[in-house]
Amino acid sequence: HYPLRRQRQMCIRDRRTPDPTLGIFTATERGGAEQVSGISLSFPIAGPARTANARMAIAEAQSLEAHAQQVEQSLAGGFDALWAQMIHKRSAAENLNQAAQKQLAAAEKSRKAFTLGEYTLTQTLQINRTASEYRHSAQTMQLEVVELVALLWLDLHEIWDLD
């Protein structure tokens, strides 16, 4: 916020102190027949227009500062949302992984039961299909967690420092 603070300080200073201007000029008129040289001094006196301009500049600085704070909060909120999403998905991935392990054990038991003639081929294939779907869901969720972790690292500038 250094540029905004500096602009505000300059506006306050401009409102308090006059801004004199000294100028030197030369002019040629009538095709060079007349030459004019001179010095000009401009010393503005504080008045309503000058005060209004200073107030306008302060208002602009405050508006820019508010916008910068809003962007900062938005970015921080984005990080917090990513973090919460990563925590939630990591928990879901662990639960899906446990369910997939149980389903794989059930699939192995169903193969043995099919070999012994206790299950039909349809039952065994259905249990194996369910185990495969659970494993796929668990792996997909783990991939989403890895993606969110990578986005968090990127947001923290751990992967690439873009600033």
Side-chain angles (χ1 to χ4, degrees), residues 82-135:
L82 273 177
W83 181 260
Q85 191 177 8
M86 189 273 301
I87 295 295
H88 173 72
K89 287 198 176 195
R90 187 175 64 186
S91 174
E94 289 172 1
N95 292 337
L96 279 171
N97 196 26
Q98 290 173 358
Q101 292 298 324
K102 289 179 182 177
Q103 200 62 33
L104 286 171
E108 185 60 37
K109 288 179 183 177
S110 74
R111 282 188 219 113
K112 289 179 184 176
F114 174 72
T115 305
L116 297 172
E118 295 176 4
Y119 274 8
T120 64
L121 180 60
T122 305
Q123 290 172 322
T124 304
L125 290 175
Q126 183 63 34
I127 292 172
N128 282 313
R129 178 177 180 215
T130 304
S132 178
E133 288 173 354
Y134 273 49
R135 188 175 64 230

Short mmCIF file of all heavy atoms in Angstrom, two decimals, residues 82-135:
data_model
loop_
_atom_site.label_atom_id
_atom_site.label_comp_id
_atom_site.label_asym_id
_atom_site.label_seq_id
_atom_site.Cartn_x
_atom_site.Cartn_y
_atom_site.Cartn_z
N LEU A 82 -9.65 -23.05 -0.97
CA LEU A 82 -8.86 -24.17 -1.49
C LEU A 82 -8.41 -25.09 -0.36
O LEU A 82 -8.45 -26.32 -0.50
CB LEU A 82 -7.63 -23.65 -2.24
CG LEU A 82 -7.79 -23.31 -3.70
CD1 LEU A 82 -6.47 -22.75 -4.26
CD2 LEU A 82 -8.22 -24.50 -4.52
N TRP A 83 -7.98 -24.49 0.74
CA TRP A 83 -7.52 -25.29 1.88
C TRP A 83 -8.65 -26.16 2.44
O TRP A 83 -8.47 -27.35 2.67
CB TRP A 83 -6.96 -24.36 2.96
CG TRP A 83 -6.45 -25.10 4.15
CD1 TRP A 83 -7.09 -25.29 5.34
CD2 TRP A 83 -5.21 -25.79 4.27
NE1 TRP A 83 -6.32 -26.04 6.18
CE2 TRP A 83 -5.15 -26.36 5.55
CE3 TRP A 83 -4.12 -25.97 3.41
CZ2 TRP A 83 -4.07 -27.10 6.00
CZ3 TRP A 83 -3.04 -26.71 3.86
CH2 TRP A 83 -3.01 -27.26 5.14
N ALA A 84 -9.82 -25.56 2.63
CA ALA A 84 -10.96 -26.30 3.16
C ALA A 84 -11.37 -27.41 2.20
O ALA A 84 -11.68 -28.54 2.62
CB ALA A 84 -12.14 -25.35 3.41
N GLN A 85 -11.35 -27.11 0.92
CA GLN A 85 -11.70 -28.11 -0.08
C GLN A 85 -10.70 -29.26 -0.07
O GLN A 85 -11.08 -30.43 -0.17
CB GLN A 85 -11.75 -27.45 -1.46
CG GLN A 85 -12.35 -28.29 -2.54
CD GLN A 85 -12.43 -27.54 -3.86
OE1 GLN A 85 -11.93 -26.44 -4.00
NE2 GLN A 85 -13.10 -28.14 -4.82
N MET A 86 -9.42 -28.94 0.06
CA MET A 86 -8.39 -29.97 0.10
C MET A 86 -8.56 -30.87 1.32
O MET A 86 -8.49 -32.09 1.22
CB MET A 86 -6.99 -29.33 0.10
CG MET A 86 -5.84 -30.31 -0.08
SD MET A 86 -5.20 -31.08 1.42
CE MET A 86 -4.69 -29.69 2.37
N ILE A 87 -8.83 -30.29 2.49
CA ILE A 87 -9.04 -31.06 3.71
C ILE A 87 -10.25 -31.99 3.55
O ILE A 87 -10.18 -33.18 3.88
CB ILE A 87 -9.23 -30.12 4.94
CG1 ILE A 87 -7.96 -29.32 5.21
CG2 ILE A 87 -9.67 -30.90 6.17
CD1 ILE A 87 -6.78 -30.16 5.62
N HIS A 88 -11.33 -31.46 3.02
CA HIS A 88 -12.55 -32.25 2.82
C HIS A 88 -12.29 -33.41 1.85
O HIS A 88 -12.68 -34.55 2.11
CB HIS A 88 -13.67 -31.35 2.31
CG HIS A 88 -14.90 -32.09 1.92
ND1 HIS A 88 -15.75 -32.66 2.85
CD2 HIS A 88 -15.44 -32.37 0.71
CE1 HIS A 88 -16.74 -33.25 2.22
NE2 HIS A 88 -16.57 -33.10 0.92
N LYS A 89 -11.64 -33.11 0.74
CA LYS A 89 -11.39 -34.16 -0.26
C LYS A 89 -10.37 -35.18 0.24
O LYS A 89 -10.46 -36.36 -0.12
CB LYS A 89 -10.95 -33.54 -1.58
CG LYS A 89 -12.10 -32.86 -2.29
CD LYS A 89 -11.83 -32.63 -3.74
CE LYS A 89 -13.09 -32.04 -4.36
NZ LYS A 89 -13.05 -32.10 -5.79
N ARG A 90 -9.42 -34.75 1.04
CA ARG A 90 -8.45 -35.70 1.59
C ARG A 90 -9.16 -36.70 2.52
O ARG A 90 -8.91 -37.90 2.48
CB ARG A 90 -7.34 -34.98 2.34
CG ARG A 90 -6.22 -35.93 2.79
CD ARG A 90 -5.08 -35.20 3.42
NE ARG A 90 -5.55 -34.56 4.65
CZ ARG A 90 -4.81 -33.75 5.38
NH1 ARG A 90 -3.58 -33.47 5.02
NH2 ARG A 90 -5.29 -33.21 6.48
N SER A 91 -10.08 -36.19 3.33
CA SER A 91 -10.86 -37.06 4.20
C SER A 91 -11.73 -38.02 3.37
O SER A 91 -11.81 -39.22 3.67
CB SER A 91 -11.74 -36.21 5.12
OG SER A 91 -12.59 -37.02 5.88
N ALA A 92 -12.34 -37.49 2.33
CA ALA A 92 -13.17 -38.34 1.46
C ALA A 92 -12.32 -39.39 0.76
O ALA A 92 -12.74 -40.54 0.61
CB ALA A 92 -13.90 -37.47 0.43
N ALA A 93 -11.11 -39.01 0.35
CA ALA A 93 -10.22 -39.97 -0.32
C ALA A 93 -9.82 -41.09 0.64
O ALA A 93 -9.76 -42.26 0.24
CB ALA A 93 -8.97 -39.25 -0.83
N GLU A 94 -9.55 -40.75 1.90
CA GLU A 94 -9.21 -41.78 2.88
C GLU A 94 -10.38 -42.74 3.10
O GLU A 94 -10.20 -43.96 3.15
CB GLU A 94 -8.80 -41.14 4.21
CG GLU A 94 -7.47 -40.44 4.16
CD GLU A 94 -7.16 -39.63 5.42
OE1 GLU A 94 -7.99 -39.63 6.35
OE2 GLU A 94 -6.09 -39.00 5.45
N ASN A 95 -11.60 -42.18 3.20
CA ASN A 95 -12.78 -43.02 3.38
C ASN A 95 -13.02 -43.91 2.16
O ASN A 95 -13.34 -45.10 2.29
CB ASN A 95 -14.02 -42.17 3.65
CG ASN A 95 -13.96 -41.49 5.01
OD1 ASN A 95 -13.25 -41.94 5.90
ND2 ASN A 95 -14.68 -40.40 5.16
N LEU A 96 -12.87 -43.33 0.97
CA LEU A 96 -13.04 -44.12 -0.25
C LEU A 96 -11.97 -45.21 -0.36
O LEU A 96 -12.26 -46.32 -0.81
CB LEU A 96 -12.98 -43.22 -1.49
CG LEU A 96 -14.26 -42.48 -1.84
CD1 LEU A 96 -14.01 -41.46 -2.94
CD2 LEU A 96 -15.34 -43.46 -2.27
N ASN A 97 -10.76 -44.88 0.06
CA ASN A 97 -9.68 -45.87 0.01
C ASN A 97 -9.98 -47.04 0.95
O ASN A 97 -9.78 -48.21 0.59
CB ASN A 97 -8.35 -45.21 0.36
CG ASN A 97 -7.17 -46.06 -0.05
OD1 ASN A 97 -7.27 -46.87 -0.96
ND2 ASN A 97 -6.06 -45.88 0.63
N GLN A 98 -10.47 -46.74 2.15
CA GLN A 98 -10.84 -47.81 3.08
C GLN A 98 -11.98 -48.66 2.53
O GLN A 98 -11.95 -49.89 2.61
CB GLN A 98 -11.23 -47.21 4.44
CG GLN A 98 -10.08 -46.62 5.21
CD GLN A 98 -10.54 -45.88 6.46
OE1 GLN A 98 -11.73 -45.78 6.74
NE2 GLN A 98 -9.58 -45.36 7.22
N ALA A 99 -12.97 -48.01 1.94
CA ALA A 99 -14.10 -48.75 1.35
C ALA A 99 -13.62 -49.61 0.19
O ALA A 99 -14.07 -50.75 0.01
CB ALA A 99 -15.17 -47.77 0.89
N ALA A 100 -12.68 -49.08 -0.61
CA ALA A 100 -12.15 -49.84 -1.74
C ALA A 100 -11.38 -51.06 -1.25
O ALA A 100 -11.48 -52.15 -1.85
CB ALA A 100 -11.25 -48.95 -2.61
N GLN A 101 -10.61 -50.91 -0.17
CA GLN A 101 -9.88 -52.05 0.39
C GLN A 101 -10.84 -53.14 0.87
O GLN A 101 -10.62 -54.33 0.62
CB GLN A 101 -8.98 -51.60 1.56
CG GLN A 101 -7.83 -50.70 1.15
CD GLN A 101 -6.87 -51.40 0.20
OE1 GLN A 101 -6.63 -52.59 0.29
NE2 GLN A 101 -6.36 -50.64 -0.76
N LYS A 102 -11.91 -52.74 1.53
CA LYS A 102 -12.91 -53.70 2.00
C LYS A 102 -13.60 -54.39 0.82
O LYS A 102 -13.85 -55.59 0.84
CB LYS A 102 -13.95 -53.02 2.89
CG LYS A 102 -13.40 -52.62 4.23
CD LYS A 102 -14.44 -51.92 5.07
CE LYS A 102 -13.82 -51.49 6.40
NZ LYS A 102 -14.76 -50.75 7.23
N GLN A 103 -13.88 -53.61 -0.22
CA GLN A 103 -14.54 -54.17 -1.39
C GLN A 103 -13.60 -55.12 -2.14
O GLN A 103 -14.05 -56.14 -2.67
CB GLN A 103 -15.01 -53.05 -2.31
CG GLN A 103 -16.09 -53.44 -3.27
CD GLN A 103 -17.36 -53.89 -2.58
OE1 GLN A 103 -17.73 -53.42 -1.52
NE2 GLN A 103 -18.05 -54.85 -3.19
N LEU A 104 -12.30 -54.81 -2.18
CA LEU A 104 -11.33 -55.72 -2.81
C LEU A 104 -11.24 -57.03 -2.03
O LEU A 104 -11.13 -58.11 -2.65
CB LEU A 104 -9.95 -55.06 -2.91
CG LEU A 104 -9.79 -53.98 -3.98
CD1 LEU A 104 -8.45 -53.27 -3.82
CD2 LEU A 104 -9.92 -54.59 -5.36
N ALA A 105 -11.30 -56.96 -0.72
CA ALA A 105 -11.30 -58.17 0.10
C ALA A 105 -12.56 -59.00 -0.17
O ALA A 105 -12.50 -60.24 -0.29
CB ALA A 105 -11.19 -57.82 1.58
N ALA A 106 -13.70 -58.31 -0.32
CA ALA A 106 -14.95 -59.00 -0.63
C ALA A 106 -14.88 -59.64 -2.01
O ALA A 106 -15.39 -60.75 -2.23
CB ALA A 106 -16.13 -58.03 -0.55
N ALA A 107 -14.24 -58.96 -2.95
CA ALA A 107 -14.09 -59.51 -4.30
C ALA A 107 -13.23 -60.77 -4.28
O ALA A 107 -13.52 -61.75 -4.97
CB ALA A 107 -13.49 -58.47 -5.24
N GLU A 108 -12.17 -60.75 -3.49
CA GLU A 108 -11.30 -61.93 -3.37
C GLU A 108 -12.08 -63.11 -2.75
O GLU A 108 -11.96 -64.25 -3.23
CB GLU A 108 -10.07 -61.59 -2.52
CG GLU A 108 -9.06 -62.70 -2.42
CD GLU A 108 -8.49 -63.11 -3.78
OE1 GLU A 108 -8.28 -62.25 -4.64
OE2 GLU A 108 -8.27 -64.33 -3.96
N LYS A 109 -12.87 -62.80 -1.75
CA LYS A 109 -13.69 -63.86 -1.12
C LYS A 109 -14.73 -64.40 -2.12
O LYS A 109 -15.03 -65.60 -2.13
CB LYS A 109 -14.38 -63.34 0.13
CG LYS A 109 -13.43 -63.13 1.28
CD LYS A 109 -14.17 -62.59 2.49
CE LYS A 109 -13.19 -62.30 3.62
NZ LYS A 109 -13.85 -61.72 4.79
N SER A 110 -15.28 -63.50 -2.94
CA SER A 110 -16.29 -63.96 -3.90
C SER A 110 -15.66 -64.86 -4.97
O SER A 110 -16.31 -65.79 -5.45
CB SER A 110 -17.00 -62.77 -4.55
OG SER A 110 -16.16 -62.12 -5.49
N ARG A 111 -14.41 -64.60 -5.33
CA ARG A 111 -13.71 -65.49 -6.29
C ARG A 111 -13.54 -66.88 -5.69
O ARG A 111 -13.72 -67.88 -6.37
CB ARG A 111 -12.37 -64.87 -6.69
CG ARG A 111 -12.49 -63.77 -7.70
CD ARG A 111 -11.13 -63.31 -8.24
NE ARG A 111 -11.21 -61.85 -8.37
CZ ARG A 111 -10.53 -60.97 -7.66
NH1 ARG A 111 -9.65 -61.39 -6.77
NH2 ARG A 111 -10.70 -59.71 -7.83
N LYS A 112 -13.15 -66.90 -4.42
CA LYS A 112 -13.00 -68.21 -3.75
C LYS A 112 -14.35 -68.92 -3.66
O LYS A 112 -14.46 -70.14 -3.88
CB LYS A 112 -12.40 -68.03 -2.36
CG LYS A 112 -10.93 -67.64 -2.38
CD LYS A 112 -10.42 -67.46 -0.97
CE LYS A 112 -8.97 -66.97 -1.00
NZ LYS A 112 -8.47 -66.71 0.35
N ALA A 113 -15.41 -68.13 -3.33
CA ALA A 113 -16.75 -68.72 -3.23
C ALA A 113 -17.21 -69.23 -4.59
O ALA A 113 -17.86 -70.29 -4.68
CB ALA A 113 -17.73 -67.70 -2.68
N PHE A 114 -16.89 -68.54 -5.66
CA PHE A 114 -17.24 -69.00 -7.01
C PHE A 114 -16.52 -70.31 -7.34
O PHE A 114 -17.12 -71.22 -7.90
CB PHE A 114 -16.90 -67.91 -8.04
CG PHE A 114 -17.11 -68.36 -9.46
CD1 PHE A 114 -18.39 -68.53 -9.96
CD2 PHE A 114 -16.03 -68.63 -10.28
CE1 PHE A 114 -18.59 -68.94 -11.27
CE2 PHE A 114 -16.22 -69.05 -11.59
CZ PHE A 114 -17.50 -69.20 -12.08
N THR A 115 -15.23 -70.35 -6.94
CA THR A 115 -14.44 -71.57 -7.19
C THR A 115 -15.06 -72.76 -6.45
O THR A 115 -15.07 -73.89 -6.97
CB THR A 115 -12.98 -71.37 -6.74
OG1 THR A 115 -12.47 -70.23 -7.39
CG2 THR A 115 -12.12 -72.56 -7.10
N LEU A 116 -15.59 -72.51 -5.27
CA LEU A 116 -16.20 -73.58 -4.48
C LEU A 116 -17.66 -73.84 -4.88
O LEU A 116 -18.30 -74.73 -4.33
CB LEU A 116 -16.13 -73.25 -2.99
CG LEU A 116 -14.71 -73.15 -2.41
CD1 LEU A 116 -14.76 -72.63 -0.98
CD2 LEU A 116 -14.02 -74.50 -2.47
N GLY A 117 -18.18 -73.01 -5.80
CA GLY A 117 -19.55 -73.21 -6.28
C GLY A 117 -20.60 -72.56 -5.42
O GLY A 117 -21.80 -72.83 -5.60
N GLU A 118 -20.22 -71.69 -4.50
CA GLU A 118 -21.19 -71.03 -3.61
C GLU A 118 -21.79 -69.78 -4.25
O GLU A 118 -22.88 -69.36 -3.88
CB GLU A 118 -20.53 -70.69 -2.29
CG GLU A 118 -20.10 -71.91 -1.50
CD GLU A 118 -19.35 -71.56 -0.23
OE1 GLU A 118 -19.23 -70.35 0.09
OE2 GLU A 118 -18.91 -72.49 0.46
N TYR A 119 -21.07 -69.12 -5.15
CA TYR A 119 -21.54 -67.93 -5.84
C TYR A 119 -21.65 -68.23 -7.32
O TYR A 119 -20.89 -69.04 -7.86
CB TYR A 119 -20.57 -66.76 -5.66
CG TYR A 119 -20.75 -65.93 -4.40
CD1 TYR A 119 -21.62 -66.30 -3.39
CD2 TYR A 119 -20.03 -64.76 -4.24
CE1 TYR A 119 -21.74 -65.54 -2.25
CE2 TYR A 119 -20.16 -63.99 -3.10
CZ TYR A 119 -21.01 -64.38 -2.11
OH TYR A 119 -21.15 -63.62 -0.98
N THR A 120 -22.57 -67.50 -7.97
CA THR A 120 -22.68 -67.63 -9.42
C THR A 120 -21.67 -66.70 -10.07
O THR A 120 -21.11 -65.80 -9.41
CB THR A 120 -24.10 -67.25 -9.91
OG1 THR A 120 -24.32 -65.88 -9.62
CG2 THR A 120 -25.16 -68.12 -9.25
N LEU A 121 -21.45 -66.88 -11.34
CA LEU A 121 -20.53 -66.01 -12.08
C LEU A 121 -21.03 -64.56 -12.05
O LEU A 121 -20.24 -63.62 -11.90
CB LEU A 121 -20.37 -66.50 -13.52
CG LEU A 121 -19.44 -65.69 -14.40
CD1 LEU A 121 -18.03 -65.68 -13.82
CD2 LEU A 121 -19.43 -66.22 -15.82
N THR A 122 -22.33 -64.37 -12.17
CA THR A 122 -22.91 -63.03 -12.16
C THR A 122 -22.63 -62.33 -10.83
O THR A 122 -22.25 -61.15 -10.81
CB THR A 122 -24.43 -63.10 -12.39
OG1 THR A 122 -24.68 -63.82 -13.60
CG2 THR A 122 -25.05 -61.73 -12.49
N GLN A 123 -22.82 -63.04 -9.72
CA GLN A 123 -22.56 -62.44 -8.41
C GLN A 123 -21.08 -62.06 -8.26
O GLN A 123 -20.75 -60.98 -7.78
CB GLN A 123 -22.96 -63.41 -7.30
CG GLN A 123 -24.44 -63.62 -7.16
CD GLN A 123 -24.76 -64.74 -6.19
OE1 GLN A 123 -24.06 -65.76 -6.14
NE2 GLN A 123 -25.83 -64.55 -5.41
N THR A 124 -20.22 -62.96 -8.69
CA THR A 124 -18.78 -62.71 -8.58
C THR A 124 -18.36 -61.51 -9.44
O THR A 124 -17.60 -60.65 -8.99
CB THR A 124 -17.99 -63.97 -9.00
OG1 THR A 124 -18.43 -65.06 -8.20
CG2 THR A 124 -16.51 -63.76 -8.83
N LEU A 125 -18.86 -61.46 -10.68
CA LEU A 125 -18.52 -60.33 -11.57
C LEU A 125 -19.06 -59.01 -11.02
O LEU A 125 -18.39 -57.97 -11.11
CB LEU A 125 -19.05 -60.60 -12.97
CG LEU A 125 -18.36 -61.71 -13.75
CD1 LEU A 125 -19.05 -61.94 -15.08
CD2 LEU A 125 -16.89 -61.38 -13.95
N GLN A 126 -20.26 -59.06 -10.45
CA GLN A 126 -20.85 -57.84 -9.88
C GLN A 126 -20.00 -57.32 -8.71
O GLN A 126 -19.73 -56.12 -8.61
CB GLN A 126 -22.29 -58.10 -9.43
CG GLN A 126 -23.01 -56.87 -8.89
CD GLN A 126 -23.18 -55.79 -9.94
OE1 GLN A 126 -23.37 -56.06 -11.11
NE2 GLN A 126 -23.09 -54.55 -9.51
N ILE A 127 -19.56 -58.21 -7.84
CA ILE A 127 -18.74 -57.79 -6.70
C ILE A 127 -17.39 -57.27 -7.19
O ILE A 127 -16.89 -56.25 -6.69
CB ILE A 127 -18.58 -58.96 -5.70
CG1 ILE A 127 -19.92 -59.26 -5.04
CG2 ILE A 127 -17.53 -58.63 -4.64
CD1 ILE A 127 -19.95 -60.51 -4.19
N ASN A 128 -16.80 -57.92 -8.18
CA ASN A 128 -15.52 -57.44 -8.74
C ASN A 128 -15.69 -56.08 -9.42
O ASN A 128 -14.81 -55.22 -9.32
CB ASN A 128 -14.95 -58.47 -9.73
CG ASN A 128 -14.29 -59.63 -9.02
OD1 ASN A 128 -13.52 -59.44 -8.10
ND2 ASN A 128 -14.62 -60.84 -9.44
N ARG A 129 -16.82 -55.90 -10.09
CA ARG A 129 -17.07 -54.61 -10.75
C ARG A 129 -17.20 -53.50 -9.70
O ARG A 129 -16.65 -52.41 -9.85
CB ARG A 129 -18.34 -54.70 -11.58
CG ARG A 129 -18.69 -53.41 -12.26
CD ARG A 129 -19.92 -53.56 -13.13
NE ARG A 129 -20.22 -52.29 -13.76
CZ ARG A 129 -21.44 -51.88 -14.00
NH1 ARG A 129 -22.47 -52.63 -13.68
NH2 ARG A 129 -21.63 -50.73 -14.56
N THR A 130 -17.93 -53.77 -8.65
CA THR A 130 -18.09 -52.80 -7.58
C THR A 130 -16.74 -52.46 -6.94
O THR A 130 -16.44 -51.28 -6.69
CB THR A 130 -19.06 -53.33 -6.51
OG1 THR A 130 -20.30 -53.66 -7.13
CG2 THR A 130 -19.30 -52.31 -5.42
N ALA A 131 -15.91 -53.47 -6.73
CA ALA A 131 -14.57 -53.23 -6.16
C ALA A 131 -13.75 -52.35 -7.09
O ALA A 131 -13.04 -51.44 -6.64
CB ALA A 131 -13.87 -54.56 -5.90
N SER A 132 -13.85 -52.61 -8.38
CA SER A 132 -13.11 -51.80 -9.36
C SER A 132 -13.60 -50.36 -9.37
O SER A 132 -12.81 -49.42 -9.45
CB SER A 132 -13.26 -52.43 -10.75
OG SER A 132 -12.61 -51.66 -11.71
N GLU A 133 -14.91 -50.17 -9.28
CA GLU A 133 -15.47 -48.81 -9.24
C GLU A 133 -15.03 -48.06 -7.99
O GLU A 133 -14.70 -46.87 -8.04
CB GLU A 133 -16.99 -48.87 -9.33
CG GLU A 133 -17.51 -49.26 -10.70
CD GLU A 133 -19.03 -49.48 -10.72
OE1 GLU A 133 -19.67 -49.43 -9.64
OE2 GLU A 133 -19.55 -49.71 -11.82
N TYR A 134 -15.02 -48.76 -6.85
CA TYR A 134 -14.56 -48.14 -5.60
C TYR A 134 -13.10 -47.73 -5.72
O TYR A 134 -12.70 -46.64 -5.29
CB TYR A 134 -14.75 -49.10 -4.42
CG TYR A 134 -16.12 -49.04 -3.78
CD1 TYR A 134 -17.28 -49.08 -4.53
CD2 TYR A 134 -16.24 -48.96 -2.41
CE1 TYR A 134 -18.52 -49.05 -3.95
CE2 TYR A 134 -17.49 -48.93 -1.80
CZ TYR A 134 -18.62 -48.97 -2.58
OH TYR A 134 -19.86 -48.93 -1.98
N ARG A 135 -12.28 -48.62 -6.26
CA ARG A 135 -10.85 -48.31 -6.41
C ARG A 135 -10.66 -47.11 -7.34
O ARG A 135 -9.86 -46.22 -7.07
CB ARG A 135 -10.10 -49.54 -6.93
CG ARG A 135 -8.59 -49.35 -6.92
CD ARG A 135 -7.81 -50.59 -7.32
NE ARG A 135 -8.13 -50.92 -8.71
CZ ARG A 135 -8.49 -52.13 -9.13
NH1 ARG A 135 -8.61 -53.12 -8.29
NH2 ARG A 135 -8.76 -52.34 -10.40
#
